[in-house]
Amino acid sequence: AVKEDVIDPQVGIVLHAKVGDAIQEGDTLATLYANQSQVDESLDRLNQALTIDDQAQEAPLIYEIIESA
């Protein structure tokens, strides 16, 4: 994405669970709002981004430290 990209205010995602939350089968993890033409691609990308495991995982507080050169 670049600054000049057009933003569609009708698309987005609402996450109903976060890393480490206990979930049950049938729980809604996210609500996806997408244009009809992009639904399949959006669902694929969402499914690739989610990982469900038997053990809860803690989200790191710091992902990376960026130092100036």
Coordinates of all heavy atoms in Angstrom, one line a residue:
A1 N 0.8 -1.2 0.0 CA 0.0 0.0 0.0 C 0.9 1.2 0.0 O 1.9 1.3 0.6 CB -0.9 0.0 1.2
V2 N 0.4 2.2 -0.7 CA 1.1 3.5 -0.7 C 0.2 4.6 -0.3 O -1.1 4.5 -0.3 CB 1.7 3.8 -2.1 CG1 2.9 2.8 -2.4 CG2 0.7 3.8 -3.2
K3 N 0.7 5.8 0.0 CA -0.1 6.9 0.4 C -1.2 7.3 -0.6 O -2.3 7.7 -0.2 CB 0.8 8.1 0.7 CG 0.2 9.3 1.3 CD 1.2 10.3 1.8 CE 1.4 11.3 0.7 NZ 2.2 12.5 1.1
E4 N -0.9 7.1 -1.9 CA -1.8 7.5 -2.9 C -3.0 6.5 -3.1 O -3.9 6.8 -3.9 CB -1.1 7.7 -4.2 CG -0.1 8.9 -4.2 CD 1.2 8.6 -3.5 OE1 1.6 7.4 -3.3 OE2 1.9 9.5 -3.1
D5 N -2.9 5.3 -2.5 CA -4.0 4.4 -2.7 C -5.3 4.9 -2.2 O -5.4 5.6 -1.2 CB -3.7 3.1 -1.9 CG -2.6 2.2 -2.6 OD1 -2.2 2.5 -3.7 OD2 -2.1 1.3 -1.9
V6 N -6.4 4.5 -2.9 CA -7.7 4.9 -2.5 C -8.2 4.0 -1.4 O -8.0 2.8 -1.4 CB -8.7 4.8 -3.7 CG1 -10.1 5.1 -3.2 CG2 -8.2 5.8 -4.8
I7 N -8.7 4.5 -0.3 CA -9.2 3.8 0.8 C -10.7 3.7 0.7 O -11.4 4.7 0.6 CB -8.8 4.4 2.2 CG1 -7.3 4.5 2.3 CG2 -9.5 3.7 3.3 CD1 -6.8 5.2 3.5
D8 N -11.2 2.4 0.8 CA -12.7 2.2 0.7 C -13.2 2.1 2.1 O -12.9 1.1 2.9 CB -12.9 0.9 -0.1 CG -14.4 0.6 -0.3 OD1 -15.2 1.3 0.4 OD2 -14.8 -0.2 -1.1
P9 N -14.0 3.0 2.6 CA -14.4 3.0 4.0 C -15.4 1.9 4.3 O -15.8 1.7 5.4 CB -15.1 4.4 4.2 CG -15.5 4.8 2.8 CD -14.5 4.2 1.9
Q10 N -15.9 1.2 3.3 CA -16.8 0.1 3.5 C -16.2 -1.3 3.7 O -16.9 -2.3 3.8 CB -17.8 0.0 2.3 CG -18.7 1.3 2.2 CD -19.6 1.2 1.0 OE1 -19.3 0.6 0.0 NE2 -20.7 1.9 1.1
V11 N -14.9 -1.3 3.7 CA -14.2 -2.6 3.8 C -13.4 -2.5 5.1 O -12.9 -1.5 5.6 CB -13.3 -3.0 2.6 CG1 -14.1 -3.1 1.4 CG2 -12.1 -2.0 2.5
G12 N -13.2 -3.7 5.7 CA -12.4 -3.7 6.9 C -12.6 -5.1 7.7 O -13.2 -6.0 7.2
I13 N -12.0 -5.2 8.8 CA -12.1 -6.4 9.6 C -12.3 -6.0 11.1 O -11.7 -5.0 11.6 CB -10.9 -7.3 9.4 CG1 -11.1 -8.6 10.2 CG2 -9.6 -6.6 9.8 CD1 -10.0 -9.6 9.8
V14 N -13.2 -6.7 11.8 CA -13.3 -6.5 13.2 C -12.9 -7.8 13.9 O -13.5 -8.9 13.6 CB -14.8 -6.2 13.6 CG1 -15.0 -6.1 15.1 CG2 -15.2 -4.9 12.9
L15 N -11.9 -7.8 14.7 CA -11.4 -9.0 15.4 C -12.2 -9.1 16.7 O -12.2 -8.2 17.5 CB -9.9 -8.9 15.7 CG -9.1 -8.7 14.4 CD1 -7.6 -8.5 14.8 CD2 -9.2 -10.0 13.5
H16 N -12.8 -10.3 16.9 CA -13.5 -10.6 18.2 C -12.7 -11.4 19.2 O -13.2 -11.5 20.3 CB -14.8 -11.3 17.8 CG -15.7 -10.6 16.8 ND1 -16.4 -9.4 17.1 CD2 -15.9 -10.8 15.5 CE1 -17.0 -9.0 16.0 NE2 -16.8 -9.8 15.1
A17 N -11.6 -11.9 18.8 CA -10.7 -12.6 19.7 C -9.3 -12.1 19.4 O -8.9 -11.7 18.3 CB -10.8 -14.1 19.4
K18 N -8.5 -12.2 20.5 CA -7.1 -11.7 20.3 C -6.2 -12.9 20.7 O -6.6 -13.9 21.2 CB -6.8 -10.5 21.2 CG -7.0 -10.7 22.6 CD -6.9 -9.4 23.4 CE -7.1 -9.6 24.8 NZ -7.4 -8.4 25.6
V19 N -4.9 -12.7 20.5 CA -3.9 -13.7 20.8 C -4.0 -14.1 22.2 O -4.1 -13.3 23.1 CB -2.5 -13.2 20.5 CG1 -1.4 -14.2 20.9 CG2 -2.3 -13.0 19.0
G20 N -4.1 -15.4 22.5 CA -4.2 -16.0 23.8 C -5.6 -16.2 24.4 O -5.7 -16.8 25.4
D21 N -6.6 -15.7 23.7 CA -8.0 -15.9 24.1 C -8.4 -17.3 24.0 O -8.0 -18.0 23.0 CB -8.9 -15.0 23.3 CG -9.0 -13.6 23.7 OD1 -8.3 -13.2 24.7 OD2 -9.6 -12.8 23.0
A22 N -9.1 -17.8 24.9 CA -9.7 -19.2 24.8 C -10.9 -19.1 23.9 O -11.7 -18.1 24.0 CB -10.1 -19.7 26.2
I23 N -11.0 -19.9 22.9 CA -12.1 -19.9 22.0 C -12.7 -21.3 22.0 O -12.1 -22.3 22.3 CB -11.7 -19.5 20.6 CG1 -10.6 -20.4 20.0 CG2 -11.3 -18.0 20.6 CD1 -10.3 -20.2 18.6
Q24 N -13.9 -21.4 21.5 CA -14.7 -22.7 21.4 C -15.1 -22.8 20.0 O -15.2 -21.8 19.2 CB -15.9 -22.7 22.3 CG -15.6 -22.5 23.8 CD -14.8 -23.6 24.4 OE1 -15.1 -24.8 24.1 NE2 -13.8 -23.3 25.2
E25 N -15.3 -24.0 19.6 CA -15.8 -24.3 18.2 C -17.1 -23.5 18.0 O -18.0 -23.5 18.9 CB -16.1 -25.8 18.0 CG -16.5 -26.1 16.6 CD -16.5 -27.6 16.3 OE1 -16.0 -28.4 17.1 OE2 -17.1 -28.0 15.3
G26 N -17.2 -22.8 16.9 CA -18.4 -22.0 16.6 C -18.3 -20.6 17.0 O -19.2 -19.8 16.6
D27 N -17.3 -20.2 17.8 CA -17.1 -18.8 18.1 C -16.7 -18.0 16.9 O -16.0 -18.4 16.0 CB -15.9 -18.6 19.1 CG -16.3 -19.1 20.5 OD1 -17.4 -19.4 20.8 OD2 -15.3 -19.1 21.4
T28 N -17.2 -16.8 16.8 CA -16.9 -15.8 15.8 C -15.6 -15.2 16.1 O -15.4 -14.5 17.2 CB -18.0 -14.8 15.6 OG1 -19.2 -15.4 15.3 CG2 -17.6 -13.8 14.5
L29 N -14.5 -15.4 15.3 CA -13.2 -14.9 15.5 C -13.1 -13.5 14.9 O -12.4 -12.6 15.5 CB -12.1 -15.8 15.0 CG -12.1 -17.2 15.5 CD1 -11.0 -18.0 14.9 CD2 -12.1 -17.2 17.0
A30 N -13.7 -13.3 13.8 CA -13.6 -12.0 13.1 C -14.8 -11.8 12.2 O -15.4 -12.7 11.8 CB -12.3 -12.0 12.3
T31 N -15.1 -10.5 11.9 CA -16.1 -10.1 11.0 C -15.4 -9.4 9.8 O -14.7 -8.4 10.1 CB -17.2 -9.2 11.6 OG1 -17.8 -9.9 12.7 CG2 -18.2 -8.9 10.6
L32 N -15.5 -9.9 8.6 CA -14.9 -9.3 7.5 C -15.9 -8.6 6.6 O -16.9 -9.1 6.3 CB -14.3 -10.5 6.6 CG -13.6 -10.1 5.3 CD1 -12.3 -9.3 5.6 CD2 -13.2 -11.3 4.5
Y33 N -15.5 -7.3 6.3 CA -16.3 -6.5 5.4 C -15.5 -6.3 4.2 O -14.4 -5.8 4.2 CB -16.6 -5.1 6.1 CG -17.4 -5.2 7.4 CD1 -16.7 -5.3 8.6 CD2 -18.8 -5.3 7.3 CE1 -17.5 -5.4 9.8 CE2 -19.5 -5.4 8.5 CZ -18.8 -5.5 9.7 OH -19.6 -5.6 10.9
A34 N -16.0 -6.7 3.0 CA -15.3 -6.7 1.8 C -16.2 -6.4 0.6 O -17.4 -6.7 0.7 CB -14.5 -8.0 1.5
N35 N -15.7 -5.9 -0.5 CA -16.4 -5.8 -1.7 C -16.7 -7.2 -2.3 O -15.8 -8.0 -2.1 CB -15.7 -4.9 -2.7 CG -15.6 -3.5 -2.3 OD1 -16.5 -2.9 -1.7 ND2 -14.5 -2.8 -2.5
Q36 N -17.8 -7.4 -2.9 CA -18.1 -8.7 -3.5 C -17.0 -9.2 -4.4 O -16.6 -10.4 -4.3 CB -19.4 -8.6 -4.2 CG -20.0 -10.0 -4.6 CD -20.3 -10.9 -3.4 OE1 -20.7 -10.3 -2.4 NE2 -20.1 -12.1 -3.5
S37 N -16.3 -8.3 -5.1 CA -15.3 -8.8 -6.0 C -14.0 -9.2 -5.3 O -13.2 -9.9 -5.9 CB -14.9 -7.6 -7.0 OG -14.4 -6.5 -6.3
Q38 N -13.9 -8.9 -4.0 CA -12.6 -9.2 -3.3 C -12.9 -10.2 -2.2 O -12.0 -10.4 -1.4 CB -12.0 -7.9 -2.7 CG -11.6 -6.9 -3.8 CD -11.1 -5.6 -3.3 OE1 -11.6 -5.2 -2.2 NE2 -10.3 -4.9 -4.0
V39 N -14.1 -10.7 -2.1 CA -14.4 -11.6 -0.9 C -13.5 -12.8 -0.9 O -12.9 -13.1 0.2 CB -15.9 -12.1 -1.0 CG1 -16.1 -13.2 0.0 CG2 -16.8 -10.9 -0.7
D40 N -13.3 -13.5 -2.0 CA -12.4 -14.7 -2.0 C -11.0 -14.4 -1.6 O -10.4 -15.1 -0.7 CB -12.5 -15.4 -3.3 CG -13.9 -16.0 -3.6 OD1 -14.6 -16.3 -2.7 OD2 -14.2 -16.2 -4.8
E41 N -10.4 -13.4 -2.1 CA -9.0 -13.0 -1.8 C -8.9 -12.6 -0.4 O -8.0 -13.0 0.4 CB -8.5 -11.9 -2.7 CG -7.1 -11.5 -2.4 CD -6.7 -10.3 -3.2 OE1 -7.4 -9.8 -4.1 OE2 -5.6 -9.8 -2.8
S42 N -9.9 -11.8 0.1 CA -9.9 -11.4 1.5 C -10.0 -12.5 2.5 O -9.3 -12.6 3.5 CB -11.0 -10.4 1.7 OG -10.9 -9.2 0.9
L43 N -10.9 -13.5 2.2 CA -11.0 -14.7 3.1 C -9.7 -15.5 3.1 O -9.3 -16.0 4.1 CB -12.2 -15.5 2.6 CG -13.6 -15.0 3.0 CD1 -14.7 -15.9 2.4 CD2 -13.7 -15.0 4.5
D44 N -9.1 -15.7 1.9 CA -7.9 -16.4 1.9 C -6.8 -15.7 2.7 O -6.1 -16.4 3.5 CB -7.4 -16.5 0.4 CG -8.2 -17.5 -0.4 OD1 -8.9 -18.3 0.2 OD2 -8.1 -17.4 -1.7
R45 N -6.7 -14.4 2.6 CA -5.7 -13.7 3.4 C -5.9 -13.8 4.9 O -5.0 -13.9 5.7 CB -5.6 -12.3 2.9 CG -5.0 -12.2 1.5 CD -4.9 -10.8 1.0 NE -3.8 -10.1 1.7 CZ -3.4 -8.9 1.4 NH1 -4.0 -8.2 0.5 NH2 -2.3 -8.4 2.0
L46 N -7.2 -13.7 5.2 CA -7.6 -13.8 6.6 C -7.3 -15.2 7.2 O -6.7 -15.3 8.2 CB -9.1 -13.5 6.8 CG -9.6 -13.6 8.3 CD1 -8.9 -12.7 9.2 CD2 -11.1 -13.3 8.3
N47 N -7.6 -16.2 6.4 CA -7.3 -17.6 6.9 C -5.8 -17.9 7.0 O -5.4 -18.6 7.9 CB -8.0 -18.6 5.9 CG -9.5 -18.7 6.1 OD1 -10.0 -18.5 7.2 ND2 -10.2 -19.0 5.0
Q48 N -5.0 -17.3 6.1 CA -3.6 -17.4 6.2 C -3.0 -16.7 7.4 O -2.0 -17.1 8.0 CB -2.9 -16.9 4.9 CG -3.2 -17.7 3.7 CD -2.6 -17.1 2.5 OE1 -1.8 -16.1 2.5 NE2 -3.0 -17.6 1.3
A49 N -3.7 -15.7 7.9 CA -3.2 -14.9 9.0 C -3.5 -15.5 10.4 O -2.9 -15.2 11.4 CB -3.7 -13.4 8.9
L50 N -4.5 -16.4 10.4 CA -5.0 -17.0 11.7 C -4.3 -18.3 11.9 O -4.1 -19.1 11.0 CB -6.5 -17.2 11.6 CG -7.3 -15.9 11.5 CD1 -8.8 -16.3 11.4 CD2 -7.1 -15.0 12.7
T51 N -4.0 -18.5 13.2 CA -3.4 -19.8 13.6 C -4.2 -20.2 14.9 O -4.3 -19.4 15.8 CB -1.9 -19.7 14.0 OG1 -1.2 -19.3 12.8 CG2 -1.4 -21.1 14.4
I52 N -4.8 -21.4 14.9 CA -5.5 -21.9 16.0 C -4.7 -23.1 16.6 O -4.3 -24.0 15.9 CB -6.9 -22.3 15.7 CG1 -7.7 -21.1 15.1 CG2 -7.6 -22.9 16.9 CD1 -9.1 -21.4 14.6
D53 N -4.4 -23.0 17.9 CA -3.6 -24.0 18.5 C -4.3 -24.5 19.8 O -5.2 -23.8 20.4 CB -2.2 -23.4 18.9 CG -1.2 -24.5 19.1 OD1 -1.5 -25.6 19.3 OD2 0.0 -24.1 19.0
D54 N -3.9 -25.7 20.3 CA -4.4 -26.2 21.5 C -3.9 -25.5 22.8 O -4.6 -25.5 23.8 CB -4.1 -27.7 21.7 CG -4.8 -28.6 20.7 OD1 -5.9 -28.1 20.2 OD2 -4.3 -29.6 20.4
Q55 N -2.8 -24.8 22.6 CA -2.2 -24.1 23.7 C -2.2 -22.6 23.5 O -1.9 -22.2 22.4 CB -0.7 -24.5 23.9 CG -0.5 -26.0 24.3 CD -1.1 -26.3 25.6 OE1 -1.0 -25.6 26.6 NE2 -1.8 -27.5 25.7
A56 N -2.6 -21.8 24.5 CA -2.6 -20.4 24.3 C -1.2 -19.8 24.1 O -0.3 -20.3 24.7 CB -3.2 -19.7 25.5
Q57 N -1.1 -18.9 23.2 CA 0.2 -18.2 23.0 C 0.1 -16.8 23.5 O -0.9 -16.1 23.3 CB 0.5 -18.2 21.5 CG 0.5 -19.6 20.8 CD 1.6 -20.4 21.3 OE1 2.7 -20.0 21.4 NE2 1.3 -21.7 21.5
E58 N 1.2 -16.3 24.0 CA 1.3 -14.9 24.5 C 1.8 -14.1 23.3 O 2.8 -14.4 22.6 CB 2.2 -14.8 25.7 CG 1.7 -15.4 26.9 CD 2.5 -15.0 28.1 OE1 3.1 -13.9 28.1 OE2 2.5 -15.8 29.1
A59 N 1.2 -12.9 23.1 CA 1.6 -12.0 22.1 C 2.9 -11.3 22.6 O 2.8 -10.8 23.8 CB 0.5 -11.0 21.7
P60 N 3.9 -11.2 21.8 CA 5.1 -10.4 22.3 C 4.7 -8.9 22.5 O 4.0 -8.4 21.7 CB 6.1 -10.6 21.2 CG 5.3 -11.0 20.0 CD 4.1 -11.7 20.5
L61 N 5.3 -8.3 23.5 CA 5.0 -6.9 23.7 C 5.8 -6.0 22.7 O 5.4 -5.0 22.3 CB 5.4 -6.5 25.1 CG 4.5 -7.1 26.2 CD1 5.0 -6.7 27.6 CD2 3.0 -6.8 26.0
I62 N 7.0 -6.5 22.4 CA 7.9 -5.8 21.4 C 8.2 -6.8 20.3 O 8.8 -7.9 20.5 CB 9.2 -5.4 22.1 CG1 8.8 -4.4 23.2 CG2 10.1 -4.7 21.1 CD1 10.0 -4.0 24.1
Y63 N 7.9 -6.5 19.1 CA 8.1 -7.3 17.9 C 9.6 -7.1 17.4 O 10.2 -8.1 17.0 CB 7.1 -7.1 16.8 CG 5.8 -7.6 17.1 CD1 4.8 -6.8 17.6 CD2 5.5 -8.9 16.9 CE1 3.5 -7.3 17.9 CE2 4.2 -9.4 17.1 CZ 3.2 -8.6 17.6 OH 2.0 -9.1 17.9
E64 N 10.0 -5.9 17.4 CA 11.3 -5.6 16.8 C 11.8 -4.2 17.3 O 11.0 -3.3 17.5 CB 11.2 -5.6 15.3 CG 12.5 -5.3 14.5 CD 12.3 -5.3 13.0 OE1 11.1 -5.6 12.6 OE2 13.3 -5.1 12.3
I65 N 13.1 -4.1 17.5 CA 13.7 -2.8 17.8 C 14.3 -2.3 16.6 O 15.2 -2.9 16.0 CB 14.7 -2.9 19.0 CG1 13.9 -3.4 20.3 CG2 15.4 -1.6 19.2 CD1 14.8 -3.6 21.4
I66 N 13.9 -1.1 16.2 CA 14.5 -0.4 15.0 C 15.4 0.7 15.5 O 15.0 1.6 16.2 CB 13.4 0.1 14.1 CG1 12.5 -1.0 13.7 CG2 14.0 0.8 12.9 CD1 11.2 -0.5 12.9
E67 N 16.7 0.6 15.1 CA 17.6 1.6 15.5 C 18.0 2.4 14.3 O 18.1 1.9 13.2 CB 18.9 0.9 16.1 CG 18.5 0.2 17.4 CD 19.8 -0.5 18.0 OE1 20.9 -0.2 17.6 OE2 19.6 -1.4 18.8
S68 N 18.3 3.7 14.5 CA 18.7 4.5 13.3 C 20.1 4.2 12.9 O 20.9 3.8 13.8 CB 18.5 6.0 13.7 OG 19.4 6.3 14.8
A69 N 20.4 4.3 11.7 CA 21.7 4.0 11.1 C 22.7 5.1 11.4 O 22.5 6.2 11.6 CB 21.6 3.7 9.6

